[in-house]
Amino acid sequence: MSDLRATYRLQLSPELTFDDARALVPYLERLGVSHLYLSPSLQARAGSTHGYDVVDPTTVSEALGGEEALRRLAEAMPLILDIVPNHMGTGEENRWWSDLEERRRVFDVEPGTAFYRRFFDIDDLAAVRQEDPAVFELTHRKTLDLLNEGVVDGVRVDHPDGLADPAGYLRRLRGAGAQGIWVEKILHPGEPLRDWPVDGTVGYEFLNDAQAVFVDRGGEDVLDAVWTELTGDDRAFAAHARAAQVEQASTTFQREIAWLQRLAPQFDPETLAHALAALPVYRTYVEPWSGQVDDLDRRYLAAAGLPDALVAALTLETEGLDEFVTRFQQTSPPIAAKGIEDTAFYRYNRLLALNEVGGDPGRFGITIGELHRANALRSEHFPRNLLVSTTHDTKRSADVRARIGALSEPALRDDWAAFARRWVPEAPDPATGFLVLQTLLGAHPIEPRERLDGYLEKALREAKVHTGWADPDTGYEERVKHWAGGLLSADDFLEEFDYLHGRVVKAGHRSALGQLLLKLTAPGIPDVYGGDELSYLALVDPDNRRPVDFDARRRALDDPPEKLALILAALELRARKPEAFAGGYDALDAPAGTCAYVRGGEVLVVIPVAADAHGTVRAPGFEEVPAARLGIYERGAAR
């Protein structure tokens, strides 16, 4: 595998093809990244805008330019490729789907029926039987050829938790020639990555820790009080999440629950729905085929408070339920994702900076010491874990999250509470008022207006309280859009908003730079999401998949603003001192409010977390550095 220093994530489409990406290579080389990290690039269904609806994994996407164009791109810059083993698009374009005999062989179809396992709740994405070696070989032939010929250096594995046997799949993938493997695995705070043959995750646990350390834990009481006062809702986030998961299990995933009950009739649908929602993690990894039950899984199942008979079944103490155990474990991840990330995250709007993929909005910040421990563990076990701050799946870009997170700071939280008390009662409903006001503070200016309207429509439907995807109340949606848009043309609102927004932008900029420097220098491999090298105010997809103005970014290299300058400096240092960033991680006993560490004995990193950080950072072999000055320093180099 080529020297891996940093990646740049590109969202390919018919408007951004392999050849278009190749034209960007000189710019990316000047930026300092070593690898292009591509969205799915195998043949997707006609008109696909994202590539996750693959219909022929044996062929490189013609819409993106075909295999020869992909190979030309690989000659210009090493590649990491996003692959989608869990599911494929249905329909006539998929030759295995259109043939009923092949459908039953390749796809996860219940014997004797037509109710197949879906990807989440998407009916036209059907799950694949990757546990069958023949199906694995059939669907991975092209990917493995590209890996073994050196066209692709490594792969990002989409949604491994949907597979019957994630560990077995990853062992087979590694054994077949994949030297670099990163899994899109959502780890709950404190959950370890299993002992899989991978280089690490795609980095959501890092993203949430980096944001959390910049959330002032002293602000929780103030933000909690104003949320409870205005909404009348004093439930903890865990209660919102549990209720939403049960709701999703009982409605959206009724057919999956029915499948489970047919496999284990002794468990009624209500018991199964509550059990799937009760797990403290996305899924367990009990192996009926090997009889293996990990102690960690026993603890998770015990913590869920399940009926004894169900625990006995899920820990292989009851004979004849092997398929039920496997299906149960494949069903809990989509219920967690749809219930937590795509429902509860849009209902519990206390501080939206914490409502991020893999995050827990109930965890109001972490200490610098907790961040150091997480970084040290990553350095020891997964030194090539990807480090992300913005992705195609994040609810908000890093710059937006940083601004919203700053509302917890001492200088802002009381003013935010007063602002919310003034304007939330004017909203169509209080929770939506919190959503709109924080969105405006975090992402303003949101132009054109259609971006805000589109975001609000999606957010309201995801919340599934006053409207939803299945039965939209367009009248309610229009009232919210009208209220939100009207705020930005009301003089009394703008007078208060502009004052608070200006301070939020300043505090958010400091936080965003600190999180960026963490990503660029902490143990792991930093990833830059396409466009995020300049100020990037994006909301959930499709907003974060808008075309990127690369001409503006090329021009900015000649006179880089602060964010871009930090990326250029850090990546240049990583290229020049690779041994330092491949080496140890030594946390320093820095003054309060400052995160400081040394990489490989050669590079000192200082990140003021608190706005009032002061004092001096001292490290052996380095000159003293002001604790309030964000920076990266070489041993012995003049400043």
Side-chain angles (χ1 to χ4, degrees):
M1 186 174 187
S2 305
D3 176 39
L4 178 60
R5 297 188 310 275
T7 63
Y8 191 96
R9 169 79 183 199
L10 278 182
Q11 290 298 117
L12 300 174
S13 71
E15 288 72 46
L16 183 62
T17 65
F18 299 134
D19 283 337
D20 295 326
R22 186 166 176 258
L24 294 175
V25 168
Y27 163 73
L28 298 175
E29 289 176 335
R30 286 187 64 190
L31 192 63
V33 302
S34 63
H35 284 64
L36 261 177
Y37 171 19
L38 300 180
S39 59
S41 301
L42 300 179
Q43 189 63 46
R45 62 163 51 106
S48 175
T49 58
H50 49 73
Y52 288 94
D53 44 2
V54 174
V55 293
D56 183 4
T58 69
T59 304
V60 174
S61 170
E62 292 298 330
L64 300 181
E67 185 167 340
E68 289 307 310
L70 176 65
R71 289 176 178 270
R72 288 194 297 271
L73 175 58
E75 290 173 358
M77 178 166 273
L79 305 179
I80 292 173
L81 183 62
D82 195 339
I83 62 171
V84 192
N86 176 71
H87 56 271
M88 283 193 276
T90 62
E92 292 301 313
E93 292 177 275
N94 189 320
R95 64 182 183 275
W96 299 314
W97 183 261
S98 56
D99 182 307
L100 289 180
E101 185 175 341
E102 284 290 272
R103 182 187 302 184
R104 294 190 178 96
R105 180 173 78 97
V106 174
F107 293 93
D108 203 351
V109 178
E110 184 179 11
T113 75
F115 300 98
Y116 52 91
R117 185 169 60 86
R118 304 173 289 177
F119 172 65
F120 286 23
D121 58 343
I122 304 174
D123 287 342
D124 60 4
L125 293 179
V128 179
R129 297 180 59 245
Q130 295 292 359
E131 64 273 20
D132 183 333
V135 173
F136 174 89
E137 196 281 330
L138 183 72
T139 56
H140 285 71
R141 189 178 304 145
K142 178 55 63 179
T143 297
L144 293 174
D145 285 347
L146 295 172
L147 284 164
N148 289 317
E149 293 175 33
V151 178
V152 170
D153 268 12
V155 291
R156 170 207 190 260
V157 177
D158 184 70
H159 191 47
D161 274 346
L163 303 176
D165 178 15
Y169 167 83
L170 293 165
R171 285 193 294 269
R172 188 174 293 122
L173 187 62
R174 180 76 92 187
Q179 295 304 305
I181 303 175
W182 292 268
V183 284
E184 188 217 18
K185 165 62 186 166
I186 303 302
L187 297 169
H188 284 236
E191 179 187 2
L193 181 61
R194 298 303 173 103
D195 186 21
W196 291 343
V198 299
D199 293 78
T201 71
V202 298
Y204 287 114
E205 66 289 340
F206 168 82
L207 176 155
N208 283 284
D209 284 349
Q211 175 63 68
V213 81
F214 279 89
V215 169
D216 191 308
R217 297 193 302 166
E220 183 170 18
D221 288 346
V222 173
L223 271 65
D224 208 40
V226 71
W227 166 258
T228 301
E229 172 193 331
L230 295 177
T231 64
D233 188 345
D234 62 358
R235 292 175 296 164
F237 174 73
H240 284 267
R242 179 71 175 271
Q245 286 175 274
V246 171
E247 178 186 300
Q248 287 297 292
S250 304
T251 56
T252 303
F253 295 98
Q254 274 183 320
R255 80 187 214 187
E256 284 76 9
I257 296 288
W259 191 340
L260 287 172
Q261 197 191 16
R262 287 193 291 272
L263 294 171
Q266 61 269 47
F267 304 120
D268 62 77
E270 184 177 4
T271 295
L272 291 170
H274 281 270
L276 287 159
L279 285 175
V281 292
Y282 263 52
R283 69 164 281 175
T284 54
Y285 299 93
V286 174
E287 296 185 351
W289 50 90
S290 70
Q292 179 176 326
V293 185
D294 191 279
D295 286 343
L296 197 57
D297 290 325
R298 292 186 190 277
R299 292 202 295 273
Y300 291 146
L301 290 167
L306 309 182
D308 290 344
L310 185 53
V311 173
L314 294 172
T315 54
L316 308 182
E317 295 173 15
T318 306
E319 294 185 358
L321 294 180
D322 286 4
E323 186 178 353
F324 168 79
V325 173
T326 298
R327 298 285 178 199
F328 185 96
Q329 295 182 123
Q330 289 176 289
T331 305
S332 65
I335 287 174
K338 296 301 293 183
I340 297 173
E341 295 173 11
D342 291 345
T343 303
F345 276 10
Y346 291 93
R347 295 177 178 177
Y348 185 80
N349 301 328
R350 179 179 66 168
L351 183 64
L352 293 178
L354 302 177
N355 296 22
E356 196 48 86
V357 179
D360 177 3
R363 184 183 74 157
F364 202 94
I366 63 172
T367 66
I368 292 171
E370 288 172 316
L371 176 69
H372 281 318
R373 286 191 286 277
N375 283 342
L377 284 172
R378 192 177 303 110
S379 176
E380 180 180 358
H381 297 290
F382 295 101
R384 297 209 305 177
N385 203 93
L386 289 183
L387 306 178
V388 298
S389 51
T390 300
T391 77
H392 59 291
D393 280 333
T394 48
K395 304 300 183 186
R396 294 160 191 87
S397 65
D399 289 340
V400 173
R401 279 199 317 277
R403 289 183 180 183
I404 296 173
L407 296 175
S408 67
E409 295 185 1
L412 287 169
R413 55 191 178 228
D414 289 331
D415 288 344
W416 156 246
F419 185 71
R421 289 187 175 101
R422 167 67 180 89
W423 293 103
V424 164
E426 304 285 331
D429 73 273
T432 297
F434 276 88
L435 172 82
V436 169
L437 294 179
Q438 290 179 71
T439 298
L440 293 178
L441 285 169
H444 182 72
I446 309 174
E447 298 171 342
R449 168 70 184 275
E450 288 74 21
R451 286 181 56 211
L452 177 60
D453 286 349
Y455 170 74
L456 291 175
E457 181 177 292
K458 178 169 183 172
L460 295 171
R461 292 184 182 185
E462 294 284 46
K464 307 171 189 70
V465 176
H466 302 281
T467 184
W469 297 108
D471 186 21
D473 183 340
T474 56
Y476 172 79
E477 293 169 2
E478 288 304 314
R479 287 197 299 277
V480 173
K481 294 175 188 177
H482 178 75
W483 178 70
L487 289 176
L488 296 174
S489 59
D491 291 341
D492 54 346
F493 174 83
L494 287 174
E495 183 177 356
E496 294 181 42
F497 176 80
D498 288 345
Y499 172 69
L500 181 59
H501 180 252
R503 295 161 63 213
V504 165
V505 168
K506 182 177 180 180
H509 181 64
R510 174 183 55 80
S511 172
L513 288 178
Q515 293 181 55
L516 175 61
L517 186 55
L518 263 175
K519 180 178 76 170
L520 294 167
T521 60
I525 305 298
D527 171 64
V528 180
Y529 183 69
D532 194 32
E533 59 270 43
L534 295 182
S535 178
Y536 187 64
L537 302 176
L539 301 168
V540 74
D541 73 285
D543 195 61
N544 60 17
R545 305 191 196 201
R546 287 172 289 141
V548 176
D549 184 349
F550 283 108
D551 287 337
R553 282 154 179 79
R554 288 188 185 96
R555 292 192 298 271
L557 288 174
D558 296 324
D559 185 18
E562 198 170 5
K563 181 178 180 181
L564 180 57
L566 188 61
I567 294 172
L568 291 168
L571 294 187
E572 186 277 331
L573 189 57
R574 289 186 73 108
R576 191 159 41 80
K577 287 187 173 290
E579 68 289 342
F581 292 95
Y585 177 88
D586 297 307
L588 297 178
D589 185 15
T594 299
C595 175
Y597 49 88
V598 173
R599 296 302 316 277
E602 294 293 322
V603 175
L604 168 64
V605 180
V606 177
I607 301 171
V609 170
D612 59 353
H614 63 278
T616 301
V617 174
R618 296 178 177 87
F622 294 86
E623 297 179 23
E624 292 184 359
V625 178
R629 181 197 297 164
L630 179 138
I632 178 170
Y633 308 96
E634 296 181 62
R635 177 189 288 272
R639 287 193 260 291

